[in-house]
Amino acid sequence: MAKVTMTVNGRQVSGVCDDRTLLVHFIRENLGLTGTHVGCDTSQCGACVVHMDGQSVKSCSILAAQAASSAITTIEGLAQNGELHPVQAAFKAHHGLQCGFCTPGMVMTAVDMIRRHGSNLDEATVRFELEGNICRCTGYHNIVKAILGAAQEMGGARQAAE
Amino acid sequence: MYETNYHRASSIQEAVQMMGAAAEGKYVSGGMTLIPTMRLRLAAPSDLVDLRHITELKGIAVDGRSVRIGAAATHEEVATSAELGAVCPAVCDLAGHIGDPAVRHMGTIGGSIANNDPAADYPAAMLAVDAVIVTDRREIKAGDFFTDLFETALEEGEIITAVRFDAPAKAAYQKFANPASRYAMTGVFVARRNDGEVRVAVTGAGSNGVFRHQGLEAALSANWSPDAVANVAVDASDLLTDLHASAAYRANLVKVMTKRAVAAA
Amino acid sequence: MGVDGIGARVARKEDRRFLTGKGRYTDDMSVPGMKYAVFVRSPHAHATITGIDATAARAMPGVIDVLDGKQLLADGIGNLICGWMIHSKDGSPMKMGAWRPLADKTVRYVGDAVAIVVADSVAEARDAAEAVVVDYDLLPAVTDPLQTLADGEPQLHPEAPNNLIFDWELGDAAAVDRALAAAAHVTELKIYNNRLAPNPMEPRATLGIYDAGDDHYTCYTTSQNPHLARLVMSAFYNVAPENKLRVIAPDVGGGFGSKIYIYPEEIVCLWASKRTGVPVKWTCDRTEAFLTDAHGRDHVSTVKMAFDAGHRITALKVDTIANLGAYMSLFSSCVPTYLYATLLSGQYDIPAIHANVRTIYTNTVPVDAYRGAGRPEATYLLERTMETAARELGMSPAELRRTNFIRSFPHQTPVIMNYDAGDYEASLNAAMTAADWNGFAARKAEAEGRGMKRGIGMSCYIEACGLAPSAAVGSLGAGVGLWESAEVKVNMAGTIEVMTGSHSHGQGHETTFAQLVADRLGLPIDSINIVHGDTDKVQMGMGTYGSRSGAVGMSALAKALDKVEAKAKKIAAHLMEADESDVVIEDGALKVAGTDKSVPWFQMALAAYTAHNLPPGLEPGLKESAFYDPANFTFPAGCYICEVEIDPETGRTQIVQFVAADDFGNIINPMIVEGQVHGGLAQGIGQALLEGVRYDDSGQLLTASYLDYAMPRADDVPSFTVSTSNTPCPNNPLGVKGCGEAGAIGSPPALINAITDAIGNNQLTMPATPEKVWAAAQPAH
């Protein structure tokens, strides 16, 4: 058993778990944050994507012990003061979700994508970068629109602030 | 996943000690292959020694055309390295097409090479650029390093610390991805040195893992042109037939990817 | 149309919880004392169980118990059943072999459940499951549907000689044979419809809770139809009577048909909860999902289509073998019969049709309805045949279709269906315009200049939705009625709760059902809650599949709203001292038409519950329910056009445009309808290009993970061009038809028609992998 301490959504948390416990299970079961999902066993579907130290990672392919001392952001940590993050808002506005199961991973991937590319994103890049996130409901059409929309809006907001 | 014991090393020396104390230990770096494999209960190391926090394994250094990539450099770091991109953009491009962004944030060059998956991308690049695999105890030429499917020349407890190579004059990697896994169904890395020597390394297609293709190398050494590929015979009998593609199709892909890589280089 | 009413692009009410990680899926549920289950499954496709020894497993850390099929049988738990009786053409009933929830004697596919391990953690349960020793005597297995009927092949069930479940027919064989003999041209084709794994992103899960104090069971489960699950578990599997069993299907992460059925795991977890005295949760992993979720499609057919000299179709003859896997799943028998052969007329006026369907057992996962269910198989067969015929006849594919379109309604086909409304030419024209069909030749020439082969293909589909008129399906063998129910509860201060038997697992009912209420009552959408998925809360229901929620579920809601409005008007008329026939409901108030008299909605509601001043004899309160049984199926139809570029060197297909022009009748929320089409198109593209379940000869599943089963990803599909036209459905109060499956039904033939057009070779099977396309594109030797 390992005692694991990390920062999750800005709060320091500790938990005791097997060394073999995956980060996603630590988040879901020890911390009760069930927004992060498990959709496959082979690290491909992306329903489990969270941010570790500011970068998107697949929490189903990392042990909780590997993530000890890191800063994790989950889907629950994205909205601030009840306000949806611009990416969350764009997914709603563009109908970028249906059953909602892949959605947390999609949103976390999209936030990371926009962090790296800013408003320079184009459709081909978005589709290429979604390789690790599988959605069975939307046909990706509205997910792509939502990410492009959010990137533009966030780029615009950044410009306005500068 | 079976029970295991996790250890986090802060130095190479400590990692080697930890491994020495383990019954059947394994090093883990990004863990992007090892952890899913353990999750499927296809690997059961008694101990995991985590190399991701060892400072000595990090960093990418370029001196003239001489490149050193730390074993713990992530695919994302390699893909976005401006210094490396200036001398050998083909390796950056290759790294930027491994897995997906979340995988690239964790997966490392050392981990990929040590695993030697027959469909992994890096082994092709290492062979083609004639890299040296640097470990905690010696240096191994890439040509001697990749010994068989998932097998390397690494000895028990040996840690890859870096890879070194001289950037080729021209290089490119072209991958035809398996539609399901997105691993290379066939990937070809071509590299041409200043002296005109050409290396063509193929991944994803060989029955015994990554290999160099002498026929293609000879043709391209004689005539560095996409057209030079047309008359080279690629023997399908050494190639892989599986659920996704026949050896004959892979043989075709070897030629097509080579041609396109030369055009892109 | 109000801002939140019918026809408005209302953003979804349910999105916030999904976007903020607050969705509540079955695996998110946790109750005190809960333990975790892992199933021991057969690694063999066909074997006799000679012994199960769980002694070592029971002694392992954290293990509560290990239970097997003999114990299940001793406790009286029944067999899984198929709920739709089909008779062979000789009059004999279908041959249904026994499916034990935990196999006690014989296993018949890799993944067949043998025992359940309950432990403190999933990891410990899995450790123990590996320690359960099951002794098997191996039997030969058969997986090839074309081989299974032969003499001497392995037999799966003693009830079904030669593995034949039924040999069924529909239509007039003699008339078809006469027309074939007299035809000016006959197009013949062999059609494979590949086997698919549904793959909703949420794997199945169930949490069984037995309460010994009340002798009561609660089942959280990933179901598209919780009431049906309760009925079947009570009436057939003997888990508990309905009044002792509550089924809750909370947020469900996609279904596509695969979550209609009642699987062994729900039954066994409920039973295990009683046996062990603890709540038992099981969550499927993805590999297990590939091994156990009902697969879809898997047909092999031969088709003959007869034409007269004017290129009008005179007859269609179809012979199909449908692989149902190792056991008959809940609705498996109706998919290749009444959901398939009844659609073989397509959009065409065909005087004579005959279909013969043989269903067979193989040592593979059971096959049942998957998005479209029978209709994609019919559409693929017809539209591949039409395209082939057009090429053989030297006609443009559009002209051949125009020549044969049905143009007057209602139209009685020779295969049961009576089409109520449609305008097929309108969809065809819309699609051709949107795709710039006439500009294709120039685009093809341009592509050739780049060394690419460009092709274009179309598909004109029709489907039957709004399942279904109960008496009609009853006469065809269905074991249940296919009505829907709704209840509208007006709260004391006027907010609304709607309890619907429809179940949303991505379709957006919480928004569209609320839009209907908002439209009718003029209330803000935020004052309306849609409740679904809980047998304790919703009176009755048949659930969501077959694109039925709009046409049937919302029609039930419309009927309940009629009753609510009638009573509200009575109350308001009384309050305003007006005649109730003069009262109208608009903008959240009840008004006397032509006057300034008005009672706000909330005040009327309050009056209904204070009951201080109600019309004489009127009951207090305002809550009404309705059951709606549809008068007919609905018939969505449309035209899809796909344009591709093939890289001849690698065989890689790139979809350069995909156009969908659909007629769904009236539309409640265009944004949601478009989303349904997009998703269906991607699944159809997946079937045509990427997906295919593969077994080896010994019955091992080769495509058991996303490493080997190719799911459509974002870069496999293009942005879609979608549009709708509208011939309202005359048979339901809303004029809606259903849109959930169209994309998956219409798209595969359009794509294969486009690829075969590009490469100039009609011989191509789905999935059209790069290697297959590359091989088919090689110049003929």
Side-chain angles (χ1 to χ4, degrees):
Chain A
M1 299 291 260
K3 183 171 185 224
V4 172
T5 300
M6 62 183 81
T7 305
V8 176
N9 300 331
R11 214 164 50 85
Q12 195 177 349
V13 296
S14 291
V16 175
C17 62
D18 277 355
D19 283 17
R20 62 172 157 174
T21 302
L22 295 169
L23 177 59
V24 66
H25 291 134
F26 182 79
I27 290 169
R28 286 177 57 80
E29 278 149 36
N30 291 60
L31 307 180
L33 296 171
T34 56
T36 303
H37 296 151
V38 180
C40 78
D41 329 320
T42 51
S43 190
Q44 295 189 298
C45 83
C48 67
V49 169
V50 300
H51 294 175
M52 185 161 85
D53 298 326
Q55 294 187 321
S56 63
V57 296
K58 289 185 159 169
S59 64
C60 76
S61 300
I62 298 173
L63 300 178
Q66 284 176 285
S69 307
S70 68
I72 301 291
T73 305
T74 71
I75 188 71
E76 288 91 344
L78 214 53
Q80 295 295 321
N81 306 317
E83 282 278 308
L84 292 181
H85 183 281
V87 172
Q88 292 170 311
F91 269 67
K92 177 167 178 163
H94 293 280
H95 189 31
L97 65 153
Q98 290 182 27
C99 82
F101 194 80
C102 76
T103 306
M106 282 286 178
V107 168
M108 298 310 283
T109 294
V111 170
D112 181 79
M113 198 188 300
I114 295 168
R115 169 183 70 80
R116 287 179 288 110
H117 293 275
S119 53
N120 298 327
L121 272 174
D122 56 30
E123 179 176 339
T125 305
V126 173
R127 288 185 182 275
F128 169 68
E129 290 236 342
L130 285 178
E131 178 176 317
N133 292 79
I134 300 177
C135 170
R136 193 57 152 169
C137 293
T138 64
Y140 303 99
H141 182 108
N142 285 337
I143 290 174
V144 172
K145 267 170 66 179
I147 296 172
L148 290 172
Q152 284 237 315
E153 185 160 314
M154 290 167 73
R158 214 174 6 245
Q159 274 185 344
E162 279 160 8
Chain B
M1 192 179 297
Y2 295 106
E3 279 288 10
T4 190
N5 296 296
Y6 172 84
H7 313 274
R8 182 176 291 186
S10 53
S11 69
I12 292 171
Q13 193 187 3
E14 191 187 15
V16 172
Q17 278 167 4
M18 286 169 164
M19 186 58 74
E24 280 193 54
K26 259 192 175 298
Y27 293 117
V28 60
S29 181
M32 290 295 95
T33 303
L34 180 57
I35 301 294
T37 307
M38 290 172 68
R39 204 177 150 199
L40 292 170
R41 297 192 168 217
L42 300 174
S46 64
D47 296 76
L48 283 179
V49 177
D50 189 348
L51 308 176
R52 206 167 64 90
H53 300 269
I54 301 174
T55 316
E56 305 144 82
L57 299 181
K58 297 187 179 184
I60 299 168
V62 178
D63 181 7
R65 297 197 66 79
S66 153
V67 176
R68 182 186 186 282
I69 303 175
T74 63
H75 307 324
E76 176 70 10
E77 286 162 357
V78 173
T80 57
S81 165
E83 299 96 314
L84 181 59
V87 296
C88 192
V91 169
C92 301
D93 181 60
L94 174 148
H97 285 79
I98 299 173
D100 57 62
V103 166
R104 294 195 283 273
H105 286 144
M106 286 295 290
T108 64
I109 187 169
S112 171
I113 291 169
N115 188 48
N116 192 22
D117 186 307
D121 302 299
Y122 267 130
M126 295 300 101
L127 273 189
V129 302
D130 196 14
V132 170
I133 315 300
V134 184
T135 77
D136 60 325
R137 56 198 74 165
R138 58 184 171 145
E139 299 196 340
I140 310 169
K141 300 275 282 178
D144 301 326
F145 183 83
F146 302 107
T147 53
D148 206 341
L149 300 174
F150 298 104
E151 297 286 337
T152 68
L154 287 172
E155 292 164 359
E156 208 163 301
E158 190 170 9
I159 298 177
I160 300 175
T161 56
V163 302
R164 282 195 297 103
F165 59 88
D166 288 334
K170 296 232 174 226
Y173 180 62
Q174 288 283 309
K175 165 161 72 174
F176 193 85
N178 175 321
S181 69
R182 301 299 183 97
Y183 275 86
M185 184 181 271
T186 295
V188 177
F189 199 106
V190 298
R192 182 171 188 261
R193 295 201 321 210
N194 263 332
D195 63 10
E197 187 197 319
V198 173
R199 286 187 168 215
V200 178
V202 180
T203 190
S207 303
N208 301 307
V210 65
F211 67 94
R212 286 170 59 191
H213 195 281
Q214 270 70 34
L216 288 165
E217 290 184 353
L220 288 167
S221 293
N223 173 18
W224 177 252
S225 151
D227 301 333
V229 174
N231 294 322
V232 179
V234 174
D235 183 359
S237 60
D238 296 336
L239 301 185
L240 185 65
T241 289
D242 62 12
L243 185 61
H244 303 285
S246 69
Y249 180 61
R250 282 191 164 93
N252 170 64
L253 287 180
V254 169
K255 288 181 70 169
V256 175
M257 293 301 114
T258 303
K259 182 172 88 172
R260 291 181 185 184
V262 172
Chain C
M1 172 178 105
V3 288
D4 295 335
I6 290 174
R9 304 178 77 90
V10 180
R12 298 201 317 173
K13 286 161 63 75
E14 49 268 75
D15 282 355
R16 190 178 177 90
R17 72 173 183 275
F18 295 130
L19 284 163
T20 54
K22 302 295 186 194
R24 294 273 284 162
Y25 300 88
T26 299
D27 186 49
D28 300 341
M29 301 297 163
S30 185
V31 295
M34 185 175 82
K35 304 296 179 187
Y36 299 86
V38 164
F39 282 82
V40 177
R41 298 188 182 279
S42 171
H44 307 297
H46 201 189
T48 305
I49 299 171
T50 57
I52 299 176
D53 183 355
T55 316
R58 280 202 188 88
M60 288 178 69
V63 174
I64 312 288
D65 207 349
V66 181
L67 302 168
D68 66 25
K70 284 205 168 65
Q71 294 163 297
L72 189 88
L73 193 63
D75 283 354
I77 302 295
N79 292 342
L80 284 87
I81 52 121
C82 175
W84 195 304
M85 172 54 71
I86 299 289
H87 287 86
S88 286
K89 53 194 179 192
D90 67 5
S92 62
M94 64 191 190
K95 312 287 194 298
M96 181 158 53
W99 184 3
R100 297 292 306 154
L102 293 176
D104 58 330
K105 292 199 184 81
T106 308
V107 291
R108 295 185 175 84
Y109 69 96
V110 172
D112 215 346
V114 173
I116 180 175
V117 179
V118 181
D120 288 338
S121 71
V122 175
E124 286 168 326
R126 202 172 298 284
D127 292 343
E130 289 186 359
V132 175
V133 180
V134 185
D135 291 321
Y136 296 99
D137 275 351
L138 298 194
L139 298 168
V142 61
T143 58
D144 180 349
L146 294 178
Q147 197 182 328
T148 187
L149 286 164
D151 287 335
E153 287 299 318
Q155 297 291 296
L156 269 79
H157 296 276
E159 298 86 349
N162 288 63
N163 301 311
L164 180 67
I165 301 171
F166 57 76
D167 183 354
W168 173 91
E169 67 176 344
L170 182 65
D172 185 340
V176 166
D177 287 341
R178 280 196 301 274
L180 280 166
H185 178 81
V186 176
T187 291
E188 297 187 40
L189 211 55
K190 187 156 193 172
I191 298 277
Y192 294 89
N193 206 289
N194 44 328
R195 185 185 184 106
L196 305 175
N199 277 302
M201 291 318 296
E202 180 204 22
R204 288 189 296 121
T206 190
L207 166 57
I209 306 167
Y210 177 68
D211 179 341
D214 290 331
D215 186 30
H216 181 276
Y217 295 83
T218 302
C219 174
Y220 286 92
T221 188
T222 47
S223 175
Q224 301 177 213
N225 33 235
H227 288 84
L228 192 61
R230 185 177 66 159
L231 167 70
V232 174
M233 285 197 281
S234 293
F236 299 101
Y237 308 149
N238 203 24
V239 173
E242 278 174 285
N243 63 320
K244 295 285 189 187
L245 175 58
R246 176 184 186 185
V247 178
I248 302 170
D251 284 329
V252 172
F256 314 112
S258 70
K259 292 172 181 170
I260 297 172
Y261 326 113
I262 290 72
Y263 290 88
E265 292 84 4
E266 293 93 286
I267 303 164
V268 174
C269 284
L270 284 167
W271 167 73
S273 177
K274 183 174 185 180
R275 290 283 302 224
T276 58
V278 295
V280 175
K281 181 161 84 176
W282 167 77
T283 303
C284 196
D285 61 35
R286 183 57 61 186
T287 300
E288 210 174 8
F290 276 107
L291 287 170
T292 64
D293 288 4
H295 290 167
R297 319 282 192 255
D298 207 349
H299 284 199
V300 182
S301 301
T302 55
V303 52
K304 289 182 185 176
M305 187 181 270
F307 292 87
D308 66 16
H311 302 148
R312 292 192 58 93
I313 308 166
T314 54
L316 176 70
K317 186 182 179 74
V318 174
D319 183 39
T320 295
I321 293 178
N323 183 1
L324 297 192
Y327 302 102
M328 293 190 76
S329 177
L330 191 62
F331 289 121
S332 55
S333 59
C334 70
V335 175
T337 52
Y338 292 111
L339 293 178
Y340 165 67
T342 54
L343 274 304
L344 285 172
S345 197
Q347 299 186 352
Y348 313 114
D349 187 357
I350 306 179
I353 298 175
H354 181 258
N356 195 98
V357 178
R358 286 170 290 171
T359 54
I360 46 110
Y361 288 118
T362 57
N363 293 107
T364 61
V365 181
V367 176
D368 207 323
Y370 164 63
R371 199 171 196 171
R375 294 152 287 168
E377 294 90 320
T379 302
Y380 184 69
L381 180 146
L382 259 185
E383 291 303 292
R384 283 289 293 129
T385 306
M386 287 299 279
E387 199 79 11
T388 304
R391 289 171 191 169
E392 289 173 357
L393 295 167
M395 283 183 84
S396 91
E399 276 319 299
L400 183 64
R401 286 171 171 91
R402 281 186 217 278
T403 303
N404 287 284
F405 277 154
I406 294 162
R407 293 170 189 278
S408 70
F409 297 89
H411 174 87
Q412 179 62 53
T413 72
V415 279
I416 299 178
M417 290 301 183
N418 189 286
Y419 299 169
D420 53 7
D423 183 346
Y424 308 137
E425 187 125 26
S427 298
L428 179 74
N429 290 338
M432 290 178 74
T433 303
D436 183 23
W437 184 278
N438 294 334
F440 172 74
R443 298 194 293 277
K444 185 177 175 73
E446 185 277 332
E448 264 166 21
R450 288 181 282 113
M452 303 297 271
K453 291 177 184 284
R454 199 155 171 133
I456 194 164
M458 66 166 54
S459 152
C460 295
Y461 78 92
I462 188 164
E463 58 155 333
C465 293
L467 312 178
S470 296
V473 294
S475 75
L476 301 178
V480 292
L482 289 170
W483 41 264
E484 195 46 270
S485 107
E487 196 171 17
V488 177
K489 182 168 80 176
V490 180
N491 290 320
M492 293 192 188
T495 59
I496 309 272
E497 283 168 52
V498 172
M499 277 64 72
T500 170
S502 297
H503 184 276
S504 183
H505 30 279
Q507 296 88 345
H509 295 170
E510 290 171 45
T511 305
T512 50
F513 281 51
Q515 282 181 258
L516 172 57
V517 179
D519 196 79
R520 291 280 294 264
L521 304 181
L523 297 174
I525 202 161
D526 287 340
S527 65
I528 303 152
N529 275 21
I530 309 299
V531 177
H532 65 96
D534 184 341
T535 59
D536 266 14
K537 292 181 179 168
V538 178
Q539 53 178 10
M540 279 296 162
M542 291 309 297
T544 289
Y545 39 82
S547 307
R548 69 192 302 271
S549 296
V552 192
M554 290 184 84
S555 291
L557 173 56
K559 251 182 100 175
L561 285 168
D562 290 344
K563 298 182 190 178
V564 166
E565 287 186 3
K567 187 168 179 183
K569 284 178 181 174
K570 274 196 175 69
I571 295 166
H574 185 71
L575 293 174
M576 295 186 286
E577 297 178 342
D579 192 301
E580 65 179 87
S581 63
D582 293 334
V583 177
V584 295
I585 301 175
E586 55 185 40
D587 301 333
L590 298 102
K591 301 173 181 172
V592 179
T595 74
D596 58 358
K597 282 191 189 173
S598 164
V599 177
W601 176 264
F602 77 89
Q603 200 172 324
M604 177 281 304
L606 204 55
Y609 287 97
T610 59
H612 295 164
N613 183 20
L614 291 177
L618 195 70
E619 280 179 26
L622 188 49
K623 182 178 127 174
E624 300 289 348
S625 77
F627 283 68
Y628 173 79
D629 199 11
N632 191 359
F633 293 90
T634 65
F635 296 97
C639 177
Y640 292 174
I641 293 174
C642 179
E643 190 167 331
V644 298
E645 271 191 16
I646 310 292
D647 176 346
E649 291 186 330
T650 64
R652 186 171 182 278
T653 297
Q654 193 198 350
I655 301 170
V656 290
Q657 69 162 340
F658 208 113
V659 172
D662 294 288
D663 177 356
F664 296 134
N666 292 334
I667 284 172
I668 309 294
N669 184 328
M671 179 190 83
I672 286 177
V673 167
E674 289 161 11
Q676 289 292 309
V677 174
H678 298 155
L681 291 175
Q683 278 176 344
I685 290 168
Q687 166 161 31
L689 276 189
L690 298 161
E691 300 179 44
V693 171
R694 301 266 299 274
Y695 283 91
D696 71 11
D697 291 342
S698 73
Q700 292 296 325
L701 180 62
L702 301 174
T703 49
S705 81
Y706 292 147
L707 293 168
D708 290 314
Y709 186 91
M711 288 282 279
R713 291 188 174 75
D715 59 0
D716 290 315
V717 295
S719 282
F720 304 110
T721 306
V722 302
S723 66
T724 54
S725 55
N726 182 6
T727 60
C729 174
N731 282 310
N732 64 54
L734 299 167
V736 300
K737 296 184 179 179
C739 63
E741 296 158 291
I745 291 169
S747 53
L751 186 40
I752 298 300
N753 289 342
I755 297 174
T756 51
D757 177 57
I759 62 178
N761 181 348
N762 202 38
Q763 301 300 314
L764 189 67
T765 57
M766 298 191 292
T769 59
E771 178 168 9
K772 280 192 209 167
V773 174
W774 171 76
Q778 297 305 306
H781 296 293

